[in-house]
Amino acid sequence: MKYPLLLPLLLLGTVAALHLDKDAPYLKSAKIQADMGQDGDGSGKQERESALTAEVIETEGEEVEASGYQDTFEVKEAVESDPAASPKDLVCPKEEDTIQIQENTGCKNCHFLLVLTPSTFDNAQRICRRCYHGNLVSIHSYNFNYHVHCIASRANQAQVWIGGIMKGTCLWQKFYWTDGSCWNFGFWAPGQPGNGKGHCVAMSTKEGRWQRICCKSHLPFVCSY
């Protein structure tokens, strides 16, 4: 009498087992997709963090490049304009070939030196840097231009180098100072700088006005340190 009751129960159990087996792949697939979603979120987070890190590194690289302009100018520009020149061949001017002047510019620790020995622009900058730990002089006001002119007027040539140089091509050309300071003043001669034929800036010893001339010209120069 017990067997007729057991038979329906066995049939119900078999049907239930079949349904579970049928649903199992879907349950397993859902679990895999959920796990992949979690991994995807983690991977996305890592990608975002990597991108942010790369951006920070790139930005820092730009800052380093900007702050290292002076060293880049000293090495790269000298090699481009005069491949035979070498820092090892640099000879500091003799004392009798220089005039040291302390002008009343309002800066107690500022020193200016007129080097009478003519040199190319690049070598002049290297001498200011290596021999006097300074740069070719930069000028940011009319008053200061007057003081530099007073120094330059003691030179034995019609022009002297100051620290201005033009960089770039075509419409993107800009002027820079070799000491890295802001270009915020100009005292150009008539027709300048548009009609200039060079990329380096010289000051007239007669009028104190500026001209663009060839960087390979040999002129006296004024160092600031």
Side-chain angles (χ1 to χ4, degrees):
M1 295 298 293
K2 295 180 181 179
Y3 292 106
L5 295 175
L6 291 173
L7 184 60
L9 293 175
L10 291 172
L11 290 174
L12 290 173
T14 302
V15 172
L18 290 174
H19 280 289
L20 288 174
D21 290 338
K22 184 178 180 181
D23 292 336
Y26 295 97
L27 295 173
K28 183 176 181 180
S29 176
K31 184 177 184 301
I32 292 173
Q33 291 179 358
D35 292 340
M36 290 179 64
Q38 292 177 357
D39 293 340
D41 291 341
S43 176
K45 183 178 180 180
Q46 292 178 356
E47 291 178 358
R48 289 192 296 270
E49 291 177 352
S50 299
L52 179 61
T53 302
E55 183 178 355
V56 171
I57 292 174
E58 183 178 359
T59 302
E60 291 178 349
E62 292 176 354
E63 292 176 353
V64 170
E65 182 179 358
S67 64
Y69 170 78
Q70 294 179 357
D71 294 333
T72 301
F73 169 83
E74 180 182 4
V75 176
K76 184 177 179 181
E77 288 298 320
V79 172
E80 288 179 349
S81 62
D82 188 1
S86 170
K88 295 180 180 179
D89 300 330
L90 181 67
V91 177
C92 292
K94 298 178 180 178
E95 186 175 354
E96 56 267 27
D97 294 328
T98 64
I99 300 176
Q100 188 169 2
I101 305 170
Q102 291 185 346
E103 291 289 335
N104 184 20
T105 61
C107 179
K108 296 181 179 179
N109 296 322
C110 297
H111 303 278
F112 307 98
L113 187 76
L114 172 63
V115 179
L116 299 173
T117 305
S119 180
T120 64
F121 182 90
D122 295 320
N123 282 336
Q125 167 63 14
R126 290 197 299 168
I127 290 171
C128 291
R129 176 68 69 83
R130 297 296 181 88
C131 300
Y132 308 108
H133 306 289
N135 294 277
L136 285 170
V137 65
S138 61
I139 303 174
H140 304 279
S141 69
Y142 176 81
N143 183 55
F144 188 67
N145 190 84
Y146 170 78
H147 289 292
V148 175
H149 178 218
C150 291
I151 300 172
S153 63
R154 304 189 186 191
N156 49 8
Q157 287 187 227
Q159 293 174 316
V160 298
W161 289 125
I162 56 176
I165 185 169
M166 187 174 69
K167 291 287 188 177
T169 56
C170 299
L171 299 177
W172 299 103
Q173 292 177 334
K174 293 178 62 178
F175 286 93
Y176 298 88
W177 294 112
T178 56
D179 63 3
S181 59
C182 178
W183 187 278
N184 54 8
F185 174 78
F187 194 61
W188 298 100
Q192 296 285 333
N195 295 332
K197 297 182 180 180
H199 289 75
C200 296
V201 181
M203 172 185 282
S204 167
T205 58
K206 183 178 180 181
E207 300 176 349
R209 292 190 175 272
W210 308 354
Q211 291 181 327
R212 281 174 49 199
I213 67 172
C214 176
C215 298
K216 293 184 179 181
S217 300
H218 287 71
L219 300 176
F221 52 94
V222 179
C223 295
S224 174
Y225 60 99

